Amino acid sequence: MKYIIGNWKSNKNNAEVESWFGEFSKTYEKLNRPRFDNLQIIICPPFVYLPESKKYLEKFSLPIYLGAQDISPFPQGAYTGEITGKMISDYAEYVLIGHSERRKYFSETDSLLREKVNMATASGLKPVFCIPDKDTEIPENVTIAAYEPVFAIGTGQADNPQSANNVAKSVKDTRKASVVIYGGSVTPENIRQFLTAGDIDGVLPGKASLDPVVFWEMIRNAPLS
Ligand code: PGA
């Protein structure tokens, strides 16, 4: 089983979300509704589009799961602006935690991220915990880690599949997480190299997930087992 997790980041408006699912489902129909048996396909839209995205997945019967891009470290209550695990779990199964953009632009620290992981698991969400290198702390209860070297994010300069694989192996060998995926400039052209490297269990494309045609190319280029 390999994961393909599309992170839309802070992109799209309502009409663009509608068009993404409309276009994606057209190809899905054209291909006679493939079952993606060996793939877990997940889309992480901005919070405000989780309800709409869920409606489109149901409307078009798409075998895709949803993830949030972040989660509040607090339970419900007087925390203006925050989105809780309880809210997210109405719509999504997964949540990205500790993305390097959150660490960089919002000063998220290891201890804050631990709280977020706790909230995610308490809400029945599966955390996808992002780390920039193999030495970054991964909280307990994290099954899926995403290795995302900062130099590769949004730059068009993906890591070398072999070095990404070494990080994945090291994270698994040290039992910090049992599933390790790679993110950073993943494209339809390089996805297969990462997914066949040996220890990499999936990919986390950002830019290449924004266009449904490109996203389909990645799915079609993923190895079948
Ligand atoms: P990118 O983003 O594919 O646009 O490099 C990856 C990520 O930040 O998750």
Side-chain angles (χ1 to χ4, degrees):
M1 164 77 83
K2 301 287 188 194
Y3 292 82
I4 300 181
I5 307 182
N7 175 12
W8 286 356
K9 308 190 180 184
S10 242
N11 288 292
K12 299 196 185 295
N13 64 11
N14 220 7
E16 289 163 346
V17 171
E18 180 178 8
S19 133
W20 194 98
F21 284 104
E23 289 297 315
F24 188 90
S25 73
K26 264 192 225 156
T27 305
Y28 181 63
E29 292 299 331
K30 222 189 296 169
L31 295 174
N32 289 324
R33 302 173 156 263
R35 286 179 44 199
F36 305 147
D37 279 339
N38 59 320
L39 292 176
Q40 184 86 344
I41 298 176
I42 302 161
I43 292 288
C44 302
F47 285 131
V48 287
Y49 301 124
L50 281 170
E52 283 296 286
S53 299
K54 188 172 184 210
K55 274 191 212 152
Y56 292 125
L57 293 185
E58 284 166 3
K59 177 175 167 191
F60 298 119
S61 304
L62 297 172
I64 293 183
Y65 296 84
L66 291 176
Q69 297 176 14
D70 186 25
I71 182 172
S72 173
F74 296 105
Q76 67 179 11
Y79 305 101
T80 301
E82 286 297 89
I83 305 292
T84 63
K86 185 179 171 187
M87 298 171 194
I88 296 167
S89 64
D90 281 339
Y91 304 103
E93 286 81 20
Y94 295 87
V95 58
L96 303 180
I97 295 180
H99 191 282
S100 70
E101 288 151 13
R102 304 283 328 163
R103 293 177 191 260
K104 178 176 172 195
Y105 298 118
F106 304 94
S107 309
E108 297 197 347
T109 59
D110 289 343
S111 70
L112 177 79
L113 296 175
R114 239 179 278 134
E115 300 296 316
K116 292 191 174 200
V117 167
N118 289 340
M119 286 312 302
T121 50
S123 313
L125 295 164
K126 296 185 189 97
V128 176
F129 194 82
C130 305
I131 52 168
D133 54 56
K134 69 176 173 37
D135 300 321
T136 300
E137 176 185 328
I138 299 179
E140 274 177 44
N141 299 324
V142 166
T143 306
I144 309 172
Y147 164 56
E148 299 210 303
V150 173
F151 69 81
I153 296 179
T155 59
Q157 300 288 324
D159 199 357
N160 170 308
Q162 196 48 54
S163 79
N165 197 66
N166 291 344
V167 174
K169 186 169 185 325
S170 151
V171 169
K172 289 179 179 180
D173 286 350
T174 51
R175 296 180 197 279
K176 290 163 89 184
S178 56
V179 175
V180 183
I181 67 174
Y182 166 78
S185 299
V186 174
T187 63
E189 290 71 37
N190 64 22
I191 186 172
R192 184 179 278 267
Q193 288 174 276
F194 288 104
L195 294 184
T196 56
D199 285 289
I200 299 173
D201 301 301
V203 289
L204 179 48
K207 187 159 179 274
S209 70
L210 292 175
D211 179 335
V213 175
V214 178
F215 196 65
W216 260 117
E217 276 178 58
M218 282 192 291
I219 294 172
R220 296 178 79 166
N221 290 349
L224 286 172
S225 61

